[in-house]
Amino acid sequence: MIWNMGRMPSARPTRSAYYFLIVGVVLLSIILYLTFFVFIYSDAEGNSTFSFGSPLSFCSPGNSQRIADSISPVTTTTVTVMARPTHTATSTPVNEIVKAVDSQEPPYCNYCTSTDELCKRYGSFNLARSRAYEGPNARLKRVLRKVRSGQKIKIGIIGGSVSKGHGLRDRRLNWSHLYAEYIRETFAKSTSADAANVEVELINGSVGATISQYMETCFLEHIPEDVDLVIIELAINDQRLEYLAKGYENLIRAIFALPQAPAIINVQVMALMFPTITMGGDLHTAIAQYYDTPIISLRNVILPHILRTTQYNSSDDSLEKYWFYHDANSIDLRHISFNGHRMLADLLKSFTSRVACEGWREGQQQKAGHDDNIVGGWDWAPYDSDRYEGLTLSLPNPNEGKEVSEYIPRLSLFQKYDHTTVLRPANPFCRTTTTLTGNGNGMSSPYAHLLEALPAPLSTEGPDAFAMWSHPQNPGKVWLTGRKPGVKVSFKVQTSALGRIRVTYLRSESYGLGSAWCWVDDNRNQGKRLDGYWPHKNIHVANSEVITESATPGEHILQCEIMKETRDPRGGTEFRIVAVDAL
C-alpha cells in the first residue's frame, strides 16, 4: 500500500464527540451557578457573605429605618440559601428576632440620611476624615445617658486662645458654646421627660498661651472638680516635644481620677504660622488612643483643601481668609475665624450624635435581651482559643462593666512594661495668675487659688515689686511681672509624694523677656536659671520648669530673683510668672 504523504484528508467529528462537548458545557454551568449563587450570596443591597444566611447590618449608619422595616415580626422574612441539589431558596419567617431595635429611633439616629443637615453640609467624606479616632466611647455614652435622663451635666473646656475665643466678637460664637447648645437642644429637650428642668453648664477654662505641662497640675484652677465631660484643645499650643506629650498624658490621667470619672474628647484645630505643620497634637494622638479618648480633627478636613487650592494658584489666600481670623492688613494663621469655630462645633455634633445613637441601640438591645440574629456592642462570642483555664477570657469583655469598658492603664505610655507598677493619682498643688477668680471673666470656682507673693523680706516690696499685669490689648492674659534685676518674689508651696516643685513662666522671642534664678528654701546654690527669651519666632507660650524633684512632703518656700544677665539680644530683663505648682 502506498500512502500519499501530501495533503491529509480532513476528519469529521463523531456523534460521541458532540455528546462529550454538551456534557462538559452543562457541568461547567452547574459549577459556576453553585459558585456565585450558593457560596457567594449577595442580597438586594449588594452585601456579600460567605455564609448561607442573609446578612443584617445592625449598626449600619444611615440605614435605621430600612433595618427596622426589614425586621418587622409581622411582614418580614429572612432568606436562607440552602446547599441542596435543587438549588432553591426557602423562606423562614422571623419570630420577633429584633426586639432590640425600636422602629421609632430618636432623631439623632439619622447619620447621613435625608434628614441629616450636617451630612448635607459637609458630606460623609469630610465627616469621616474629622474622626481621627473614635473608639467605643463608653464614658461619653454614660454621660449622654445622664443628660437624656433629665440630670444636669457640666462640660469643662481646657484649651488655649482659640478655645478662649480670640478674635470672636461674642462668646456665643465660640465652638464650645455652640456645642453646649446642641447638647441642650438635642438630648435634653428632645428625649427627657423632664426636659424643661435639664441644665447643661458650660465652664470654659481655656487660657491663652498655655500648654499641657501647665494644665497637668493646674487644670482644676480652671474647671470644677465635678465635671461630666472635658474637651481638651491643646494641639497647637504644645510643640512636638516628648516632655509636653508626657504632660498631656498626665492631664488625661488626672481628669479620669475626678469624682465623676468624666468623659474626654480631644479636639485638634490647626495653625499654619509655625516652622512645621505638625505640632504637639500629632503626639497627642497616640496618647489619646492609648487612653481610648476620641479625637475630632479640624485640620484633617480643612488643610487638604487649602493645600490643593494653593497648588493650583499660589497667590490664592481665599480659603485662609475664610477659615482664619483676619483684618484688612493680615491673616492670623494661628486663630480660626467664626467659620472655623462653627465647623468645629458641627463636627463635634455629628460625632456625638453617632455615639449617642450607638449607645441608644445598645441600651435597647440590653433591655430586650440578646438574640443570635443581632450583633451589637455588648455581644460577646470569642473563639474557644481565646479562653484559658476554663473560664478566663484572654480578651477584654465589655460585659464585665466599667472595670473593662472604662479601664485606665496602670502604666504610662512612656514607661517600660512590667507586671507590678501601678500609677496612683497625685495630689496637685497649684497657684496661678490665670485662675477663674483672677482673670476678669466674671466666673469663680471653689477650687481656684490665686497666686500671691509672700510679704517682705522674702519678697521685694514697693514700686519695683512683682505685681499682676496684663497687656492693655489683651486683658485676659495675666502675669505676675517684675522688671528690674535684683527684684525678688517668694511663695509657699505644698508638696506631696513626688517632691516636685515647678515654676511656669512666659517665653517669647520678641517680648523683651529676661532671666530669673529660682530655688527652694535655703538651697540657692541648687537653684535653676529660667530664661524668658527663646529664639522661636511667633511662639509666645507659658513654659514649666522643674526647680527640684527631691523636696520632702510638706510646706516649702519657693524663691525667684531677676538676674542681671539676660539672653535677650535687646537686653530685656522683664520676667513674667504664670504659676507655681507642686506634687
Side-chain angles (χ1 to χ4, degrees), residues 36 48 53-54 100 120 122 303 310 358 365 392 483 490 515 548:
F36 286 95
S48 297
S54 176
K120 293 178 183 178
Y122 299 108
L303 184 57
T310 52
E358 187 176 281
Q365 182 184 1
T392 307
R483 295 180 173 84
S490 302
S515 303
T548 183

Side-chain angles (χ1 to χ4, degrees), residues 105-151:
E105 289 191 324
Y108 49 79
C109 282
N110 68 334
Y111 179 75
C112 283
T113 64
S114 60
T115 61
D116 187 349
E117 296 302 321
L118 293 179
C119 193
K120 293 178 183 178
R121 184 177 304 157
Y122 299 108
S124 59
F125 176 87
N126 289 315
L127 293 178
R129 291 200 68 158
S130 74
R131 300 187 296 273
Y133 176 71
E134 288 192 81
N137 292 295
R139 292 180 180 86
L140 183 56
K141 290 172 185 175
R142 169 168 52 79
V143 173
L144 294 174
R145 286 196 299 270
K146 180 178 179 180
V147 73
R148 290 205 313 266
S149 70
Q151 300 179 65

Side-chain angles (χ1 to χ4, degrees), residues 449-462:
H449 306 87
L450 186 63
L451 179 64
E452 294 179 335
L454 292 173
L458 294 175
S459 300
T460 301
E461 293 186 343

Side-chain angles (χ1 to χ4, degrees), residues 257-280:
L258 293 178
Q260 300 294 332
I264 295 176
I265 300 176
N266 306 273
V267 298
Q268 298 185 349
V269 296
M270 69 172 180
L272 301 178
M273 65 179 297
F274 300 124
T276 61
I277 293 174
T278 182
M279 291 293 287

Side-chain angles (χ1 to χ4, degrees), residues 422-573:
V422 179
L423 292 179
R424 299 298 182 188
N427 183 24
F429 170 95
C430 180
R431 299 293 183 268
T432 175
T433 62
T434 55
T435 182
L436 288 177
T437 57
N439 62 7
N441 61 8
M443 301 178 66
S444 62
S445 168
Y447 315 105
H449 306 87
L450 186 63
L451 179 64
E452 294 179 335
L454 292 173
L458 294 175
S459 300
T460 301
E461 293 186 343
D464 295 332
F466 272 83
M468 293 295 181
W469 179 83
S470 63
H471 197 284
Q473 296 180 356
N474 195 350
K477 295 180 179 180
V478 183
W479 303 279
L480 187 65
T481 305
R483 295 180 173 84
K484 291 186 178 181
V487 173
K488 293 192 302 182
V489 65
S490 302
F491 315 94
K492 283 185 180 180
V493 295
Q494 186 79 27
T495 58
S496 55
L498 295 184
R500 188 189 77 182
I501 298 175
R502 299 190 310 180
V503 174
T504 300
Y505 60 104
L506 188 68
R507 304 199 74 179
S508 171
E509 181 267 344
S510 59
Y511 286 2
L513 301 180
S515 303
W517 186 263
C518 297
W519 67 96
V520 175
D521 297 329
D522 296 327
N523 302 314
R524 185 183 180 111
N525 292 336
Q526 299 176 19
K528 292 282 186 71
R529 174 172 173 159
L530 312 183
D531 295 312
Y533 171 85
W534 66 2
H536 306 297
K537 293 184 177 181
N538 299 318
I539 301 179
H540 322 288
V541 296
N543 185 78
S544 299
E545 184 72 29
V546 174
I547 306 304
T548 183
E549 292 184 287
S550 58
T552 57
E555 188 175 278
H556 296 272
I557 302 297
L558 170 64
Q559 304 180 66
C560 292
E561 181 178 337
I562 298 178
M563 302 174 63
K564 292 181 180 179
E565 297 82 8
T566 177
R567 299 197 187 281
D568 180 25
R570 295 171 291 278
T573 59

Side-chain angles (χ1 to χ4, degrees), residues 305-375:
H305 299 291
I306 293 178
L307 295 175
R308 183 166 57 90
T309 300
T310 52
Q311 180 178 349
Y312 294 150
N313 181 1
S314 60
S315 63
D316 187 352
D317 60 0
S318 58
L319 288 184
E320 295 166 3
K321 288 182 177 178
Y322 185 80
W323 293 115
F324 288 95
Y325 174 73
H326 66 280
D327 55 27
N329 299 318
S330 62
I331 304 174
D332 180 356
L333 293 177
R334 180 169 186 162
H335 298 100
I336 55 176
S337 65
F338 166 67
N339 296 318
H341 278 263
R342 181 175 55 187
M343 174 182 261
L344 181 56
D346 285 347
L347 298 178
L348 278 167
K349 294 175 189 178
S350 177
F351 162 74
T352 304
S353 290
R354 281 168 55 92
V355 172
C357 181
E358 187 176 281
W360 182 87
R361 288 171 175 170
E362 290 170 358
Q364 293 297 304
Q365 182 184 1
Q366 288 179 314
K367 290 178 182 178
H370 293 284
D371 191 291
D372 292 339
N373 294 283
I374 302 176
V375 177

Side-chain angles (χ1 to χ4, degrees), residues 173-409:
L173 303 178
N174 193 304
W175 68 263
S176 60
H177 182 86
L178 298 173
Y179 180 68
E181 284 298 310
Y182 149 82
I183 294 290
R184 292 186 188 97
E185 296 172 2
T186 302
F187 301 106
K189 294 182 180 179
S190 66
T191 63
S192 298
D194 194 20
N197 297 321
V198 170
E199 183 180 353
V200 177
E201 182 180 351
L202 174 67
I203 305 97
N204 190 343
S206 300
V207 181
T210 300
I211 57 177
S212 295
Q213 195 180 31
Y214 163 79
M215 283 294 186
E216 68 172 305
T217 50
C218 293
F219 71 97
L220 283 178
E221 301 296 306
H222 306 283
I223 62 174
E225 190 179 39
D226 58 345
V227 286
D228 298 283
L229 170 62
V230 178
I231 306 180
I232 304 174
E233 179 273 305
L234 292 169
I236 63 171
N237 283 44
D238 281 0
Q239 298 177 69
R240 194 183 171 103
L241 299 170
E242 185 174 298
Y243 76 89
L244 294 176
K246 291 179 179 179
Y248 184 78
E249 181 185 35
N250 292 338
L251 173 61
I252 287 181
R253 296 187 70 94
I255 292 171
F256 281 158
L258 293 178
Q260 300 294 332
I264 295 176
I265 300 176
N266 306 273
V267 298
Q268 298 185 349
V269 296
M270 69 172 180
L272 301 178
M273 65 179 297
F274 300 124
T276 61
I277 293 174
T278 182
M279 291 293 287
D282 296 301
L283 295 184
H284 295 177
T285 298
I287 296 167
Q289 292 171 338
Y290 182 66
Y291 289 94
D292 200 19
T293 59
I295 304 170
I296 300 301
S297 172
L298 188 69
R299 189 184 73 180
N300 282 3
V301 179
I302 295 176
L303 184 57
H305 299 291
I306 293 178
L307 295 175
R308 183 166 57 90
T309 300
T310 52
Q311 180 178 349
Y312 294 150
N313 181 1
S314 60
S315 63
D316 187 352
D317 60 0
S318 58
L319 288 184
E320 295 166 3
K321 288 182 177 178
Y322 185 80
W323 293 115
F324 288 95
Y325 174 73
H326 66 280
D327 55 27
N329 299 318
S330 62
I331 304 174
D332 180 356
L333 293 177
R334 180 169 186 162
H335 298 100
I336 55 176
S337 65
F338 166 67
N339 296 318
H341 278 263
R342 181 175 55 187
M343 174 182 261
L344 181 56
D346 285 347
L347 298 178
L348 278 167
K349 294 175 189 178
S350 177
F351 162 74
T352 304
S353 290
R354 281 168 55 92
V355 172
C357 181
E358 187 176 281
W360 182 87
R361 288 171 175 170
E362 290 170 358
Q364 293 297 304
Q365 182 184 1
Q366 288 179 314
K367 290 178 182 178
H370 293 284
D371 191 291
D372 292 339
N373 294 283
I374 302 176
V375 177
W378 298 97
D379 285 316
W380 187 248
Y383 289 110
D384 290 338
S385 60
D386 288 332
R387 303 176 183 274
Y388 64 97
E389 298 177 358
L391 298 175
T392 307
L393 291 169
S394 62
L395 294 174
N397 182 358
N399 292 313
E400 294 180 15
K402 290 175 62 176
E403 289 186 1
V404 171
S405 62
E406 299 187 19
Y407 173 70
I408 302 173

